[in-house]
Structure formats: C-alpha cells, structure tokens
Amino acid sequence: MAALYGLRFDCGRICLDLVATAAGAPAAVERLTGPGPLAAWLTGAGVVPPGAALDAVDARWVARFRALREVLGRIVRAELRGRAAACDLVLLNAAAGAAPPPAVQAVRGPDGALAGALAGPPDCAGLLAVVARDAVALLTDPVVRGQLRQCAGEGCGLVYLDTSRGRRRRWCSSEVCGNRARVARHRQRAGRAGRPDPPVRTVF
C-alpha cells in the first residue's frame, strides 16, 4: 500500500519520514493527499502496528499531520544551518505533550507468535505525539543530531540520518538520487566524448 502512494521510509527516523512525504527529487510532491495515504504512512513508518484500526483517519487528521510536517521540516533544516526558531520548538513541544501516545500490547497471533497491537483505536493527537516525541529525541541527542544531512541530489530537499561508515553518504537514497546523479555524469561524459575535435588552425 505504501508503494502505491510513493511513500518512502529510508530517512532513518519516523519524524524525518514524515518530512519526506512532501520532499524528494526531482521536486517536492505532496504524498499525504488524503486519509488513505496517511493511514498507509502511519503503518509503514511504524507509528502504529500492522493491522491497527485506522477507520477514524479523515481529512482533519491529514491537515494536522501536514501542519506538524511543516514545523518539522523547518526545524530540521534550520538545525542543519544553525538553530531552529524558538516559536517552532514551542509548537513541536506542544504536539509532543498534547496527548499520550497509544499503548502497544503484546498479543498472541494465530501462528502463536507475539505481535504488537493497540488496545483500541488511536486518536490523532496521540499519534502526532509519537512523531513529535521522536523529533524531540533526535534533536536533543547531540550524536544523532550530528548525523542530519540534506540530500545533495538536484531538486531534492530530503533530510536523512547519515549512519554510513565514515559519514560520507551524500544521497537520500543510492537507488534514487544517487543513481540519477550517476546517470547525469555518464551522459555528460558521453556528450564530451562525442564532440568532434576543433579544427586545426594553421598559422602562416
């Protein structure tokens, strides 16, 4: 279902995966277009366990998650450059403390294995708090915050955690922006190789 809506979950944190729903190359694209994509994102990002009842997700939920996403986007990009605005941190902290996140219980599945399940249908404020608290944990951990990177891909504003060896990762995804950059370099080299040599000028 997530692939159907073009959702990605490779940024390294739940909060960054939410920001990614309106970022990416070649240009920013809105992926939370309605309740269906939001429900798919909540499950795919691990905000709720698989199979959680999300029947209450509606247009108001979508608007509230988009609003939090906007705040998160401003904060993480500001932290990359220096410091996030105090007013945005107030909004983030308010979302983190507005409601308790839904409790996940261990339940026995039909195959006998334990799996996570919610005790009841979650509310929007509680799920927003899950994402906001993830952002607070990221921002207040100097080591993790130091791994924040913005993709070097042309037209891509996606922010991710660089956990690679040597911290040399340049792309949000080697398969997406990394591959696009490699193709562009190959075409550029091929174009130069195909140019005819300039005519030789004879000086008398």
Side-chain angles (χ1 to χ4, degrees):
M1 186 64 73
L4 177 65
Y5 301 119
L7 300 171
R8 292 175 56 181
F9 306 101
D10 51 3
C11 295
R13 295 294 289 241
I14 291 173
C15 59
L16 299 181
D17 283 338
L18 179 60
V19 175
T21 61
V29 176
E30 177 59 70
R31 293 176 177 84
L32 297 184
T33 55
L38 176 56
W41 182 85
L42 289 168
T43 302
V47 179
V48 298
L54 295 172
D55 299 333
V57 177
D58 59 15
R60 290 171 296 180
W61 284 46
V62 175
R64 293 176 70 181
F65 270 88
R66 284 182 179 178
L68 177 60
R69 180 186 66 192
E70 184 176 344
V71 172
L72 290 174
R74 289 198 301 266
I75 289 175
V76 296
R77 292 186 178 97
E79 285 296 307
L80 283 167
R81 298 188 299 268
R83 298 179 62 175
C87 57
D88 282 335
L89 294 177
V90 168
L91 294 173
L92 174 63
N93 291 332
V104 179
Q105 302 177 335
V107 297
R108 191 75 65 183
D111 60 353
L114 288 173
L118 300 182
D123 69 319
C124 186
L127 297 185
L128 288 168
V130 172
V131 182
R133 293 184 185 197
D134 179 66
V136 169
L138 183 158
L139 295 167
T140 56
D141 184 328
V143 174
V144 178
R145 188 178 60 194
Q147 297 171 353
L148 279 173
R149 303 284 187 274
Q150 186 157 351
C151 181
E154 184 177 355
C156 182
L158 198 146
V159 179
Y160 60 91
L161 288 187
D162 180 8
T163 58
S164 65
R165 182 178 299 178
R167 304 291 185 266
R168 296 180 178 179
R169 178 178 164 191
R170 296 185 61 203
W171 320 109
C172 61
S173 168
S174 179
E175 292 75 22
V176 182
C177 286
N179 185 61
R180 187 176 287 111
R182 287 189 291 270
V183 170
R185 286 197 301 268
H186 174 75
R187 288 176 176 170
Q188 191 175 35
R189 287 194 298 267
R192 286 197 298 263
R195 292 175 190 164
D197 293 332
V200 178
R201 298 180 62 187
T202 303
V203 180
F204 295 98

